[in-house]
Amino acid sequence: MQGPPIPFTPELRNRRTTSDHIADALRAAINSGQLADGAELNQVEIAGHFGVSRVPVREAMRQLQAEGLIDASAHRRAVVRGIGIDTLTEAYELRALLEGRLAAAAVPNLDRARLDRLAALNRELRESRDHTRYLELNSEFHNTLYEVADRPLAFEFVESLRQRSERYVQMWSRGRGLNRGRQVAREHAAIVRLAKQGDAAGAQRAVEEHIQHTLDAVLALHEDQLPSNGADGDDA
Amino acid sequence: MQGPPIPFTPELRNRRTTSDHIADALRAAINSGQLADGAELNQVEIAGHFGVSRVPVREAMRQLQAEGLIDASAHRRAVVRGIGIDTLTEAYELRALLEGRLAAAAVPNLDRARLDRLAALNRELRESRDHTRYLELNSEFHNTLYEVADRPLAFEFVESLRQRSERYVQMWSRGRGLNRGRQVAREHAAIVRLAKQGDAAGAQRAVEEHIQHTLDAVLALHEDQLPSNGADGDDA
DNA sequence: TCCGGCAATACTGTATACAGTTGTCGCGTT
DNA sequence: AACGCGACAACTGTATACAGTATTGCCGGA
C-alpha cells in the first residue's frame, strides 16, 4: 500500500496451464487452415497428438466454443465453425464501426512515444516480406492504437472479430502475396498523420475506410470460393 | 434430402450436459447477486453444492471466463468480475450502437405476425409486476425484433453485453420497483410504431434513446454505490 | 437389392485419484 | 516484537478409470 510497489516481477504469476496451450494450438491450427472449416475435432486424437489427457483438451474446446470458433453439442464431435461471405462481411462491418470509434477515442490519449511506436511498427510492416510477421505487425499496430482508447469491451469484441476472420485473411495473405502490403502501409501512415494532428473524426473515418478496403481485398479473393453462407444448421 | 423433413423432434439432440447446467446456475447466481462482484469461486465447494465432481464445474467456469463473467488465472481461485460505472457505461454505449443497427436492419424484414407479437409482448410487459418476468419479457421483446435483422455477430455481442450488465439491472429492477416500467412500455410502443411504418432510421434512433434512458436509470441508482472502476488489475 | 433392427465399437461426459502449486500458520531468530 | 522460513493444509491442474450415448457395420427379412 505504501512501500515500493513490488520488488520482483509479479507477472511470473501468469503461468500458463496445459489447457491454455492446447487452446492456443487449436486456434493456430484453425487459423492456419490445418483444421479446415467443418473439420471434426476428436478429443482422443487431439489428446494423443499433444501427449496429454482429454481433460485439458475438453477445457480448451469449451473455451473455443465460447469464443465462437467451434460448434459443439452434447455427445457429438465438435466441428470448426466456418463463416460464409455474409457473416464475414458482417464481421468487417462491425470492425469498421468499433475500430473507428476506438481510433477516435484513442486520438486524445496518444503521446509522442506511442505515435513514434506506431510509425516504427508501420515502417517495419512496410518492409516485411514474411506474411506471418506481417500479420503480427498489423495486429500490433492496431492494438497499439486502440489500447489507449480505454474501451475494454470494444477492444475485446474487436479481438474476437479478428480472431474469427483471421484464417481468411491468412489465406489471402498467403495466396496473394503482399501486393496490398504497400497500400496498407500507406493507409496506416495516413491514420498516424491524422492522429498526430489530433483529428479524431478524420482518424475514425480513415480507419473505417482502411477496414473496408481490407474486406474488399479479402472478398476479391474469396467470393468464388466460399458459399454464400458458411455454416447455418443445414448439414451434409 | 427429399422426404418429409424430419419425423420426430430433432431438438431432442440438444440434450444438455451437466457442465451446461452448472454454467447456467453460476450465471444465475452471479446475476441474482448471490455471487457478488469479487466473490471467490471454490471448485470443491461448488462441486459439492451441486453434488457433482469438479470436472463439469471446471468446464463451466472456463466458459464463464471466456464469456467475461469471471476472472481466472492459473492455480488461483476464480473471482466474479465486477464492472465499474465506466465499463457499464461503455456496455450501454455499445448496446445503443449495435442494437440501433440491429433494429434498423430488422425493420424491412418484419412481417405482420412478428409486429403483432412485439405488440403482445409489450402489452404483457406493461402489466407485469413480477420483476423476473418483466426482465424476461423485455429480453424477449428485443430479441424478437433483432432476430430478423440477420446479423448473427451483432446479435451475439448484444447478448454478451446484456449478460454482463444484467445483474446491475436486476438490482435496479428489484430495488426501485417498476416505476420505469410504464416508460419502458411507452418507448417500446414507439419503436413498434416506427417499425410498422417502415421507418428504419427512426426505429434505430428510438432504440438508441431507449437504451440511453435505461442506462440513465441504472446509473441513477448506482452512481453512489459503485466504484468508478470495478476490477482493473489492482488488487486488495 | 434394399431396408430395418441389433450388436459391437468408438467416442463423449463424468467421477475418482494423483500431482503440483499456493496460501497459511507457527516456530525460531534477530 | 518483527521478520524470515519451513512444514502443513487447501486448492487447483491433470491423468486415469468408468458410465453413457451416438455411430457403424452386419445380418436377416422383405
Side-chain angles (χ1 to χ4, degrees):
Chain A
M1 269 287 197
Q2 74 290 14
I6 287 155
F8 39 84
T9 65
E11 310 313 300
L12 198 102
R13 296 314 193 74
N14 290 355
R15 201 172 334 173
R16 293 170 57 70
T17 183
T18 304
S19 307
D20 296 330
H21 287 288
I22 303 288
D24 288 350
L26 289 179
R27 257 191 296 262
I30 291 174
N31 284 332
S32 72
Q34 284 185 280
L35 287 169
D37 295 352
E40 295 188 347
L41 281 69
N42 184 323
Q43 295 177 3
V44 304
E45 185 183 315
I46 294 171
H49 177 63
F50 290 108
V52 300
S53 89
R54 280 170 42 224
V55 176
V57 173
R58 287 180 57 82
E59 290 188 8
M61 284 176 54
R62 191 159 268 264
Q63 175 163 354
L64 296 189
Q65 183 187 6
E67 292 174 7
L69 266 76
I70 66 177
D71 280 326
S73 35
H75 296 283
R76 204 169 261 85
R77 275 189 275 280
V79 298
V80 177
R81 181 155 110 180
I83 64 179
I85 281 193
D86 36 13
T87 301
L88 188 64
T89 302
E90 190 201 354
Y92 274 88
E93 276 176 16
L94 288 178
R95 284 186 53 182
L97 194 68
L98 296 173
E99 299 194 38
R101 286 174 75 104
L102 281 170
V107 164
N109 300 336
L110 285 167
D111 57 5
R112 168 153 293 281
R114 195 163 284 263
L115 283 165
D116 290 346
R117 187 163 151 65
L118 285 170
L121 283 169
N122 194 37
R123 225 174 296 125
E124 192 183 344
L125 179 142
R126 190 176 48 210
E127 308 301 340
S128 171
R129 299 234 151 270
D130 170 36
H131 88 277
T132 300
R133 179 76 184 133
Y134 168 83
L135 291 172
E136 272 179 23
L137 286 165
N138 187 51
S139 271
E140 200 174 342
F141 176 88
H142 285 271
N143 284 347
T144 300
L145 176 59
Y146 304 150
E147 266 169 13
V148 293
D150 197 34
R151 296 283 193 283
L153 296 173
F155 190 89
E156 182 185 323
F157 283 158
V158 166
E159 291 228 301
S160 173
L161 289 169
R162 263 215 298 257
Q163 184 58 55
R164 299 193 207 198
S165 47
E166 176 164 340
R167 65 195 112 148
Y168 302 102
V169 180
Q170 286 217 11
M171 288 159 80
W172 159 67
S173 150
R174 224 194 292 275
R176 173 121 353 171
L178 300 173
N179 302 349
R180 185 168 144 68
R182 298 287 177 146
Q183 176 66 13
V184 166
R186 250 194 308 275
E187 292 176 3
H188 282 185
I191 292 166
V192 173
R193 181 162 15 89
L194 289 162
K196 200 172 291 189
Q197 295 168 0
D199 184 354
Q204 175 167 357
R205 209 175 329 112
V207 167
E208 287 169 357
E209 288 170 3
H210 171 55
I211 290 168
Q212 178 63 46
H213 293 164
T214 304
L215 172 61
D216 293 341
V218 174
L219 283 185
L221 175 66
H222 282 292
E223 60 192 353
D224 39 25
Q225 295 184 24
L226 284 176
S228 88
N229 209 335
D232 284 355
D234 46 26
D235 38 22
Chain B
M1 267 285 197
Q2 75 291 18
I6 286 154
F8 37 84
T9 65
E11 310 314 300
L12 198 101
R13 296 315 193 73
N14 292 357
R15 205 175 325 173
R16 294 168 58 69
T17 184
T18 304
S19 307
D20 296 330
H21 286 288
I22 303 288
D24 288 349
L26 290 178
R27 256 191 296 262
I30 291 174
N31 284 333
S32 72
Q34 284 184 279
L35 287 170
D37 295 351
E40 295 188 347
L41 281 70
N42 184 323
Q43 294 177 4
V44 305
E45 184 182 316
I46 294 171
H49 176 62
F50 289 109
V52 300
S53 88
R54 279 170 44 223
V55 176
V57 173
R58 287 180 56 82
E59 290 188 8
M61 283 175 55
R62 190 158 269 261
Q63 174 162 355
L64 295 188
Q65 183 188 4
E67 291 175 7
L69 267 76
I70 66 176
D71 280 326
S73 35
H75 296 284
R76 207 177 254 79
R77 275 190 275 280
V79 298
V80 178
R81 181 155 110 180
I83 64 180
I85 280 193
D86 33 14
T87 301
L88 188 64
T89 302
E90 190 201 355
Y92 274 88
E93 277 176 15
L94 288 178
R95 284 186 55 182
L97 193 68
L98 296 173
E99 297 194 38
R101 286 174 75 105
L102 280 171
V107 165
N109 299 336
L110 285 167
D111 57 5
R112 171 152 291 282
R114 193 163 287 261
L115 283 166
D116 290 347
R117 187 163 151 65
L118 284 171
L121 284 168
N122 194 38
R123 227 175 295 126
E124 192 184 344
L125 179 143
R126 190 176 48 211
E127 308 302 339
S128 170
R129 298 236 150 271
D130 170 36
H131 90 276
T132 300
R133 180 74 185 135
Y134 168 83
L135 290 172
E136 272 178 24
L137 286 165
N138 187 51
S139 272
E140 200 174 343
F141 176 87
H142 285 271
N143 284 347
T144 301
L145 177 59
Y146 304 150
E147 266 168 13
V148 293
D150 198 33
R151 296 283 194 282
L153 296 173
F155 191 88
E156 183 186 323
F157 284 159
V158 166
E159 290 229 301
S160 173
L161 289 168
R162 264 216 297 258
Q163 183 58 54
R164 300 193 206 196
S165 47
E166 176 164 341
R167 67 194 110 148
Y168 303 103
V169 180
Q170 285 218 11
M171 288 160 80
W172 158 66
S173 150
R174 224 195 291 277
R176 172 124 347 176
L178 300 173
N179 302 349
R180 182 164 146 70
R182 298 288 177 145
Q183 176 67 12
V184 166
R186 250 195 307 276
E187 292 176 2
H188 283 184
I191 293 166
V192 174
R193 181 163 14 89
L194 290 162
K196 199 172 292 192
Q197 294 168 0
D199 183 355
Q204 174 167 357
R205 209 176 328 112
V207 167
E208 286 169 357
E209 288 171 2
H210 171 55
I211 291 169
Q212 178 64 46
H213 293 163
T214 305
L215 171 62
D216 293 341
V218 174
L219 283 186
L221 175 66
H222 283 291
E223 61 191 354
D224 38 25
Q225 295 184 25
L226 284 178
S228 87
N229 209 338
D232 285 352
D234 46 26
D235 38 21

